[in-house]
């Protein structure tokens, strides 16, 4: 690796990056020169105004500056730590130090802030640990360790308390080296899967790009208790612009990877199900070939075909393979392991056994976690490696939150969405705009009410299992999807387009795929599993939710209406009515893939708002309205609305599609007597449960939002609170 030591004058350093003059003839990264043998630097390191105290107090309150020494004389247990001006991203830094008994100190570098989620937006960085400990201590918190990340590799030459020690840090691109008294004792590469794993299992779990080089990062002298003295600071900037060695391993790294990241569903107080998939690529094919656009006549003919090769060939350009197409994210066999722990308590982590993935289930893996704690944010880490074991090849970090205790009063927010697909994204190859918009709301959970992808829409028409799996791999490889579902507790419902085709029911086919196969792909392969696939979850004392399954148990849409015709099925409906009647939650939210109130379009025949399901629709509306403060949130419809059933006064909210490009089916301004709000555009719903004080009932506010997050409606419950 080419390395050029560049020396600065005082004026040059001040003008370029705020640094003082350092030493001439710096030591090489592999040789440790005694600081006393080098030219004494003329710098600002020993002036109080060079440093800034973290808590805003005068530096002299904690530190003393005399001659060429910087002394921690009045330790304040952390608040007295001091930071430097901006420093080079790549450097060699040497210094001398001595400490008193029971001192816990250190020098941090590549220090910056990582956001409020990381210790309240504190300054954090890699740390050369300085501690009153034994030379034989080889923990990742011992002297000269890369603190909490990499332990010393051998017994150290550590001089006794009160005597001087010489230290050096080399931070050159991705390469980090810690020297103590002339010997290299700890080193590592701050990139690649192994580094990702190391960070993921450390206290720095939530910090993106932790330890990686960035101009403008700072140095810090820490105050964690005890007295310390420093001198002989000498820093040399390194030029690593042509240092390709550190990136070679990443460039040639083979999979499997985790391009679909992870997703979860069915969280309650004590359990959740998590999902991942091993892939052949780190990311989807962003510059792939376009599918052939078929005519309606060609589509109809293909939908009746039972030849998977014919269906695929008709949609690929000549000579192309599916893995070359736009968005392709092919799977690859491998092994995966999940580690999880309450956030900021990585010492309590638990790891599952390694699980091998295969093409039989599209290289997907799932875990059901139980014995979790209520109202707790958990950090998750998934590792991938080859089918024969070996080193980690990919790491994904995520998180989820469990529901509050059922007797716990707590403010919370949630979101509700439906109707997304790859061909109608509105944020380019990032995905849908609603995901960063919902992230700003910071919901405790989100409900995706189905039609997550559309098998029966073009580019490609997914009339085979292979093409269905292609669509799932493609859409969940989009960056907005990965980031949001990696870190958000989610409830995934299923509807017609992501089961088989429009308005589908049992016994039908779509190309080579049966309805039953479509159900299996969604319920057991591509999404966190649950049997039966309906559930009620209490989010604290005041809010209870019901998640309905609207495809698996339904009658054929063309069956004559009557008592036997159903969408929910007898068992699910009996469970719904019973658990609703037993609930003492203040607010009861029914999360339905399809409308119960509507109104819906003329001649539609697939939901409880349609005449063909009038008998069960009336039964549903009557029973739901008989229970106090029941509100229906539904997906399926491609416009936003709030409605009140004229006969029963049951409220229903339609969230609208995930993008404005997906708006269809209703005319703007066509407001019916049931409407309280109508907007024929894309967007999403949010709910906010808020407690005014201990003497009043909480309020639940339901809002419609544009895809960019702006609020366009507001309804407060109980209704009399308006």
């Amino acid at each position: 690796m080419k390395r050029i030591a560049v020396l600065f004058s005082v004026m040059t350093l001040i003008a370029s990056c705020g640094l003082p003059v350092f030493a001439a003839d710096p030591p090489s990264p592999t040789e440790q020169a005694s600081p006393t043998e080098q030219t004494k630097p003329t710098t600002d390191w020993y002036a109080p105004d060079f440093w800034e105290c973290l808590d805003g107090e005068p530096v002299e309150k904690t530190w003393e500056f005399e001659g060429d020494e910087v002394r921690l004389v009045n330790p304040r247990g952390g608040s007295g730590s001091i930071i430097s001006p901006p420093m080079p991203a790549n450097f060699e830094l040497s210094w001398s130090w001595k400490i008193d008994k029971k001192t816990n100190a250190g020098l941090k570098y590549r220090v910056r802030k990582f956001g409020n989620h990381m210790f309240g937006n504190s300054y954090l960085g890699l740390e050369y640990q300085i501690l009153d400990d034994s030379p034989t201590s080889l923990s990742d918190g011992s002297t000269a360790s890369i603190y909490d990340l990499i332990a010393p590799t051998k017994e150290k030459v550590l001089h006794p308390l009160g005597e001087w020690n010489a230290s050096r840090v080399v931070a050159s691109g991705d390469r980090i080296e810690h020297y103590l008294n002339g010997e290299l004792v700890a080193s590592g590469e701050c990139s690649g899967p192994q580094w990702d794993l190391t960070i993921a299992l450390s206290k720095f779990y939530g910090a993106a790009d932790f330890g990686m080089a960035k101009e403008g990062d700072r140095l810090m002298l820490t105050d964690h208790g005890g007295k310390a003295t420093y001198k002989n600071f000498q820093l040399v900037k390194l030029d690593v612009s042509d240092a390709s060695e550190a990136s070679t391993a990443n460039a040639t790294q083979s999979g499997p990877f985790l391009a679909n990241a992870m997703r979860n569903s069915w969280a309650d107080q004590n359990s959740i199900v998590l999902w991942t998939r091993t892939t052949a690529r780190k990311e989807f094919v962003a510059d792939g070939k376009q599918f052939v656009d078929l005519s309606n006549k060609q589509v109809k003919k293909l939908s009746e075909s039972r030849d998977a090769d014919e269906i695929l060939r008709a949609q690929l350009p000549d000579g192309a393979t599916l893995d070359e197409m736009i968005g392709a994210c092919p799977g690859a066999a491998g092994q995966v392991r999940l580690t999880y722990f309450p956030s900021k308590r990585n010492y309590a982590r638990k790891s599952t056994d390694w699980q091998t993935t295969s093409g039989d289930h599209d290289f997907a893996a799932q875990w059901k976690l139980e014995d979790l704690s209520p109202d707790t944010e958990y950090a998750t880490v998934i590792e991938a490696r080859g089918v024969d074991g070996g080193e980690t090849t990919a790491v994904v970090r995520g998180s989820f939150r469990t529901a509050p205790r059922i007797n716990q009063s707590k403010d919370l927010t949630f979101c509700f969405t439906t109707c997304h697909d790859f061909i109608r994204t509105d944020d380019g190859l990032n995905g849908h705009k609603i995901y960063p918009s919902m992230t700003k709301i910071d919901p405790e959970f989100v409900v995706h009410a189905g039609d997550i992808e559309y098998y029966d829409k073009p580019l490609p028409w997914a009339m085979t299992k292979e093409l269905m799996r292609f669509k799932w791999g493609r859409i969940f490889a989009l960056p907005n999807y990965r980031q949001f579902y990696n870190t958000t507790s989610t409830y995934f419902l299923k509807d017609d387009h992501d089961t088989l085709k429009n308005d589908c029911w049992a016994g039908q086919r779509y190309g080579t795929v049966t309805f039953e196969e479509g159900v299996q792909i969604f319920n057991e392969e591509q999404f966190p599993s649950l049997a039966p696939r309906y559930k009620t979850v209490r989010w604290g004392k005041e809010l209870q939710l019901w998640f309905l399954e609207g495809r698996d148990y339904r009658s054929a849409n063309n069956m004559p209406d009557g008592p036997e015709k159903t969408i929910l099925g007898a068992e699910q409906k009996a469970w719904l009515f019973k658990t609703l009647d037993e609930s003492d939650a203040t607010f009861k939210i029914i999360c339905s893939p399809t409308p119960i109130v509507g109104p819906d379009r003329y001649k539609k025949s697939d939901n409880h708002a349609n005449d063909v399901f009038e008998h069960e629709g009336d039964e549903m509306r009557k029973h739901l309205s008989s229970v106090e403060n029941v509100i229906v949130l539904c997906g399926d419809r491609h416009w936003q609305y709030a409605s009140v059933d004229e006969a029963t006064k049951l409220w229903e909210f339609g969230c609208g599609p995930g993008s404005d490009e997906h708006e269809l089916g209703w005319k703007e301004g066509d407001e019916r007597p049931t409407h309280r709000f109508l907007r024929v555009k894309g967007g999403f719903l949010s709910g906010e449960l808020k407690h005014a004080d201990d003497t009043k009932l909480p309020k639940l506010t339901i809002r419609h939002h544009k895809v960019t997050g702006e609020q366009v409606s507001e309804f407060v419950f109980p209704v009399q609170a308006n």
Side-chain angles (χ1 to χ4, degrees), residues 532 534 553 566 568-579 616:
Y534 52 83
Y553 313 111
T566 182
L568 300 183
E571 290 186 11
Q572 181 179 194
K573 185 164 55 178
W575 160 84
L576 172 63
F577 290 172
K578 181 177 184 293
T579 52
E616 188 173 70

Side-chain angles (χ1 to χ4, degrees), residues 446-682:
V446 64
V447 181
H448 200 311
D451 290 343
I452 304 166
E453 206 3 318
Y454 284 64
Y455 294 150
D456 55 342
K457 293 298 175 185
L459 307 175
W461 302 87
M463 303 173 186
T464 69
K465 283 187 175 182
E466 182 182 29
L467 288 172
M468 289 177 172
R469 289 166 169 169
F470 173 89
K471 281 197 164 184
W472 290 126
R474 179 175 67 174
I475 197 166
F476 278 99
L478 293 169
N480 288 353
Y481 280 69
R482 286 171 51 95
Q483 183 174 355
F484 186 81
Y485 290 117
N486 242 15
T487 56
T488 308
S489 295
T490 307
Y491 300 94
F492 286 107
L493 310 186
K494 177 173 84 271
D495 202 10
D496 50 349
H497 298 283
D498 42 21
T499 301
L500 191 70
K501 62 179 181 177
N502 187 49
D503 293 356
C504 58
W505 62 82
Q508 294 184 319
R509 299 182 68 97
Y510 188 50
T512 67
V513 187
T514 66
F515 178 89
E516 291 70 25
E517 288 173 324
V519 167
Q520 185 274 329
I521 286 174
F522 191 105
N523 288 6
E524 300 175 21
E525 177 181 290
Q526 294 295 332
F527 289 88
S529 298
L530 179 73
R533 205 171 177 86
Y534 52 83
K535 184 172 184 172
T536 181
V537 177
R538 190 78 172 254
W539 272 80
K541 182 178 181 180
E542 288 85 12
L543 183 67
Q544 187 167 351
L545 301 107
W546 283 259
F547 306 103
L548 304 186
E549 170 52 59
R551 289 291 144 188
D552 294 1
Y553 313 111
R554 69 166 49 221
S555 306
N557 289 357
N558 58 7
M559 173 182 174
D561 194 24
E564 301 303 317
K565 188 172 184 180
T566 182
I567 290 177
L568 300 183
E571 290 186 11
Q572 181 179 194
K573 185 164 55 178
W575 160 84
L576 172 63
F577 290 172
K578 181 177 184 293
T579 52
L580 265 176
D581 293 343
E582 293 173 346
S583 176
D584 63 353
T586 307
F587 301 108
K588 306 163 187 71
I589 303 294
I590 309 298
C591 299
S592 173
T594 54
I596 297 173
V597 173
D600 198 7
R601 289 181 287 170
Y602 179 60
K603 290 187 177 180
K604 283 294 293 181
S605 58
D606 195 55
N607 61 64
H608 288 117
N610 304 147
D611 291 344
V612 296
F613 283 101
E614 183 176 9
H615 187 277
E616 188 173 70
D618 286 341
E619 183 184 13
M620 290 283 290
R621 290 183 287 272
K622 181 178 179 181
H623 198 109
L624 299 187
S625 63
S626 71
V627 181
E628 188 176 15
N629 285 330
V630 169
I631 302 167
V632 178
L633 308 183
C634 75
D636 190 41
R637 302 297 78 197
H638 293 253
W639 60 93
Q640 296 183 316
Y641 68 86
S643 294
V644 179
D645 181 55
E646 294 179 86
T648 64
K649 308 307 178 187
L650 177 66
W651 279 82
E652 178 174 272
F653 292 84
C655 61
S659 70
D660 289 340
E661 286 79 356
H662 215 157
E663 166 270 309
L664 56 90
W666 200 267
K667 184 178 180 180
E668 186 70 63
D670 183 11
E671 296 191 19
R672 308 294 173 85
T674 51
H675 282 131
R676 298 298 181 270
F677 172 79
L678 176 66
R679 179 176 177 268
V680 187
K681 288 289 185 180

Side-chain angles (χ1 to χ4, degrees), residues 113-140:
K113 294 183 177 182
F114 293 87
N116 289 329
H117 65 292
M118 289 302 299
F119 305 99
N121 205 26
S122 300
Y123 279 106
L124 301 173
L126 298 168
E127 182 172 8
Y128 186 110
Q129 178 72 67
I130 296 173
L131 191 69
D132 174 12
D133 67 354
S134 167
T136 61
S137 177
L138 299 179
S139 74
D140 61 11

Side-chain angles (χ1 to χ4, degrees), residues 362-413:
D362 197 27
F363 310 101
Q366 299 194 27
W367 301 270
K368 183 174 183 180
L369 306 184
E370 299 180 296
D371 299 322
L372 303 176
S373 299
D375 194 30
T376 301
E377 182 182 88
Y378 281 85
T380 52
V381 181
I382 294 180
E383 306 167 62
R385 67 183 187 185
V387 291
D388 297 324
E391 293 186 354
T392 297
T393 57
V395 175
V396 169
R397 288 179 268 173
S399 62
F400 65 84
R401 174 168 287 280
T402 53
R405 295 181 298 275
I406 61 174
N407 61 351
Q408 180 180 355
S409 293
K410 184 178 180 181
D411 293 352
L412 60 87
T413 59

Side-chain angles (χ1 to χ4, degrees), residues 237-300:
K237 181 179 179 180
L238 302 178
D239 182 353
V240 294
S241 59
D242 62 342
S244 58
E245 295 175 16
S247 61
T248 300
N250 284 339
T252 59
Q253 179 193 348
S254 59
F257 302 103
L258 297 166
N260 291 131
M262 71 180 86
R263 45 191 182 265
N264 66 69
S265 198
W266 312 118
D268 55 25
Q269 282 75 22
N270 307 114
S271 69
I272 197 168
V273 184
L274 282 85
W275 178 101
T276 196
R277 176 175 179 258
T278 50
T279 60
R281 297 174 52 91
K282 290 183 179 181
E283 299 176 342
F284 65 91
V285 179
D287 56 352
K289 300 177 181 180
Q290 296 291 339
F291 286 93
V292 175
D293 199 0
L294 305 178
S295 68
N296 290 338
K297 183 178 179 180
Q298 290 173 307
V299 172
K300 186 177 187 303

